[in-house]
Amino acid sequence: MKKHLVILGAQWGDEGKGKIVDLLSAEFDAVVRYQGGSNAGHTVVVKGEKFVLHLLPTGILHPHTIGIVAQGMVVDLELLVKETEELEGRGLKVWDRIFISDRAHLVMPYHKVLDSLFERKGKIGTTLRGIGPSYMFKYGRKGLRVCDLEDKDRAYQIMKDNIEFVQSLCEKVYCENHFLDLEEIFEKTVENYKKIRDRVIDTTHWLLKFDGKVLFEGAQGTMLDVDMGTYPYVTSSNASALGLSSGTGLPPKYFSEASFWAVSKAYTTRVGEGPFPTELKDELGERLREKGGEYGATTGRPRRCGWLDLPALKHAVDVNGLDGIIITKLDVLDSFEEIKVCVAYEYEGKSFDYFPASLSLLEKLKPVYKSFKGWLRNTKGAKSLSQLPKEALNYLEFIQSYLGVPIVMLSTGPQREEFFWLEEPALKS
Ligand code: GDP
Ligand code: IMO
Ligand code: MG
């Protein structure tokens, strides 16, 4: 493994990144979130105690790590303060170990109003955390950045202009009045800013000078990436490796010193709308949801469930230039008599072995499955390949050989210690 490590989601989010980043953070000095915002929900279970992190890097649960909220994130200050204080309330010293980028954009209450309004037509099924509108304002050059809050007049003017714009959009386009109290929003924002002010720095230059080992924690997943995912049913940031450089402000060559791994469940889930070729809308999908506890960590929504989609996963391998894959939740498949894996798609007699861009085509594709005999044995908490049934090994070997990259780690339960490393030659491919 190289000095630094990037952990990404290989699917549509919720792959178990939080659990993996947490356990790996023991070996790292700093952990960086660099895209997305409080739409993320990263779950960690330590000694039976559950933590769900939305804005702070998951690695912060280890007392030695420094947590960075980098410039590519969109930050809801109120939630950031709340999350930090909640962790402090649970006995963790967090305030003096986090740094927040002065260049990060803020998620403001008016972004959340727009998020709800945009969902009325052409629903994406967003988390309603104001993420899309905050990035819209950023790229439309109307955004409010953390550093702007140092100059109160400037910050006030940006909020005033933004509120006027959002209110007139509500009135003229949606024929609704949404009163947004400028004074109250301004005061609240300033109040929250005071609490984080001494943690705000230029995180890019801090990282460039930092000599320690850094773990980069992706949020969402490659298939939700605004460029490489199932557009428009995506999030509004580059959730694949493509977002690393712009999201951190670090030059692309910095990442030549990083290994790139992505996390995938042993099956597939997705929350919200959008194409999902291997979705199971029947009793099998229901079983996966119940066995896997597939309910959103941020919104509590039931996740859509289906079989593993290898062409989609291969897309993630290619786009991210992956060095390795981490498979989670193998244990969820323990009671399935038959397990299927999508190896290609089909439409009008034509076979597709890649994940196409066109939504119209994606909606018509039918998965071509390879079937595996289930192992019908408990794999939860397994600590080595030798503890896995041969049917489970067959399943993993097929995945590895299809993807052409090694499975480097297997997660066998939600607890921090429920995992093991895989030696490359131990799993034939
Ligand atoms: P993230 O967004 O990628 O961090 O994933 P989430 O936290 O949203 O969802 C993953 C869920 O799976 C969480 O409830 C984890 O505690 C749980 N989990 C992670 N790894 C495993 C595993 O190997 N087996 C089981 N059964 N649960 C796991
Ligand atoms: P983590 O980091 C799963 C999905 C939403 C919706 C789409 C756009 O926990 O894996 P947004 O609020 O971002 O504008 O919603 O993206 N989505 C996620 N799905 N896991 C996530 O994060 C997600 N973050 C956003 O459900 O379909
Ligand atoms: Mg999640």
Side-chain angles (χ1 to χ4, degrees):
M1 204 206 293
K2 296 189 181 168
K3 179 176 177 186
H4 306 306
L5 178 63
V6 177
I7 295 288
L8 301 159
Q11 300 170 303
W12 280 277
D14 301 330
E15 299 90 347
K17 300 175 293 294
K19 183 230 156 127
I20 301 299
V21 169
D22 166 68
L23 73 90
L24 291 172
S25 296
E27 304 297 324
F28 287 82
D29 304 300
V31 185
V32 181
R33 273 279 312 269
Y34 58 91
Q35 45 73 227
S38 63
N39 47 350
H42 296 174
T43 315
V44 180
V45 188
V46 190
K47 295 192 181 99
E49 205 184 334
K50 184 170 158 179
F51 297 85
V52 183
L53 291 119
H54 301 284
L55 279 163
L56 292 175
T58 309
I60 203 73
L61 298 181
H62 291 268
H64 72 280
T65 54
I66 292 166
I68 308 271
V69 172
Q71 66 180 33
M73 287 189 74
V74 285
V75 181
D76 185 325
L77 272 192
E78 181 138 8
L79 291 181
L80 180 69
V81 168
K82 188 164 167 259
E83 192 164 310
T84 311
E85 284 177 351
E86 271 174 18
L87 290 177
E88 291 263 339
R90 292 171 79 171
L92 285 151
K93 287 267 156 283
V94 178
W95 277 121
D96 53 359
R97 289 191 290 123
I98 56 170
F99 289 121
I100 299 142
S101 166
D102 51 1
R103 288 188 166 84
H105 278 248
L106 297 174
V107 175
M108 300 296 289
Y110 42 85
H111 294 134
K112 293 184 201 168
V113 168
L114 284 185
D115 205 348
S116 304
L117 284 181
F118 292 157
E119 281 290 273
R120 298 243 183 105
K121 202 165 174 242
K123 187 173 181 223
I124 303 292
T126 75
T127 58
L128 300 176
R129 297 297 191 270
I131 306 298
S134 179
Y135 280 115
M136 277 172 74
F137 279 43
K138 169 177 174 171
Y139 289 102
R141 294 157 298 178
K142 303 278 177 234
L144 180 66
R145 295 182 302 164
V146 171
C147 59
D148 296 324
L149 296 173
E150 266 305 297
D151 178 345
K152 282 194 182 170
D153 293 340
R154 183 186 190 83
Y156 186 87
Q157 194 57 46
I158 296 174
M159 285 184 223
K160 184 169 181 288
D161 292 347
N162 284 350
I163 286 175
E164 281 168 9
F165 171 72
V166 171
Q167 280 182 334
S168 65
L169 194 75
C170 292
E171 276 164 37
K172 298 197 173 106
V173 179
Y174 292 92
C175 303
E176 273 181 27
N177 287 319
H178 279 272
F179 177 66
L180 288 153
D181 190 332
L182 170 62
E183 301 307 321
E184 192 190 317
I185 290 172
F186 177 74
E187 289 307 327
K188 261 240 146 74
T189 308
V190 169
E191 199 181 299
N192 284 321
Y193 177 60
K194 279 190 194 144
K195 296 185 185 158
I196 64 150
R197 187 167 177 237
D198 67 342
R199 308 314 304 161
V200 175
I201 59 165
D202 173 340
T203 51
T204 300
H205 283 91
W206 188 90
L207 281 165
L208 284 171
K209 284 187 204 125
F210 187 59
D211 194 32
K213 292 173 69 181
V214 186
L215 199 165
F216 295 86
E217 175 179 357
Q220 290 81 51
T222 306
M223 305 311 285
L224 287 171
D225 181 284
V226 67
D227 287 297
M228 304 315 296
T230 46
Y231 189 89
Y233 298 99
V234 290
T235 192
S236 297
S237 66
N238 282 116
S240 71
L242 302 186
L244 274 162
S245 194
S246 62
T248 55
L250 294 169
K253 72 177 175 199
Y254 176 99
F255 296 96
S256 58
E257 276 193 80
S259 297
F260 287 76
W261 293 347
V263 184
S264 168
K265 284 176 185 167
Y267 50 96
T268 310
T269 64
R270 144 159 236 177
V271 206
E273 310 299 311
F276 180 176
T278 61
E279 181 171 16
L280 292 165
K281 293 184 177 164
D282 54 9
E283 180 264 339
L284 278 174
E286 197 60 46
R287 251 174 89 192
L288 276 174
R289 185 173 311 114
E290 291 316 311
K291 297 272 174 210
E294 296 297 355
Y295 296 89
T298 298
T299 58
R301 287 178 292 174
R303 295 173 182 151
R304 297 156 65 192
C305 297
W307 297 123
L308 192 65
D309 184 335
L310 287 179
L313 215 48
K314 182 76 171 76
H315 182 71
V317 169
D318 295 344
V319 167
N320 297 311
L322 293 183
D323 301 304
I325 286 268
I326 295 169
I327 302 283
T328 58
K329 303 189 105 167
L330 187 75
D331 53 292
V332 173
L333 299 178
D334 284 354
S335 65
F336 285 76
E337 296 79 11
E338 183 192 25
I339 295 161
K340 290 186 182 174
V341 182
C342 170
V343 291
Y345 312 112
E346 202 176 56
Y347 174 58
E348 288 187 336
K350 224 177 128 198
S351 174
F352 297 80
D353 64 354
Y354 64 94
F355 202 89
S358 157
L359 202 65
S360 314
L361 180 55
L362 270 173
E363 281 163 356
K364 294 179 194 122
L365 294 179
K366 294 270 170 288
V368 178
Y369 286 118
K370 178 173 166 61
S371 170
F372 287 83
K373 194 164 170 282
W375 41 94
L376 302 176
R377 259 177 57 195
N378 184 27
T379 64
K380 190 158 183 302
K383 276 293 186 190
S384 70
L385 280 182
S386 62
Q387 290 176 7
L388 294 186
K390 71 171 190 321
E391 292 85 354
L393 289 178
N394 285 344
Y395 185 63
L396 294 171
E397 277 166 9
F398 183 79
I399 294 169
Q400 179 172 277
S401 121
Y402 185 105
L403 297 177
V405 287
I407 299 176
V408 290
M409 184 193 277
L410 208 65
S411 168
T412 56
Q415 301 274 346
R416 189 184 261 176
E417 60 284 358
E418 288 177 314
F419 79 96
F420 61 89
W421 292 99
L422 273 75
E423 296 288 322
E424 259 178 71
L427 196 64
K428 296 190 292 293
S429 61

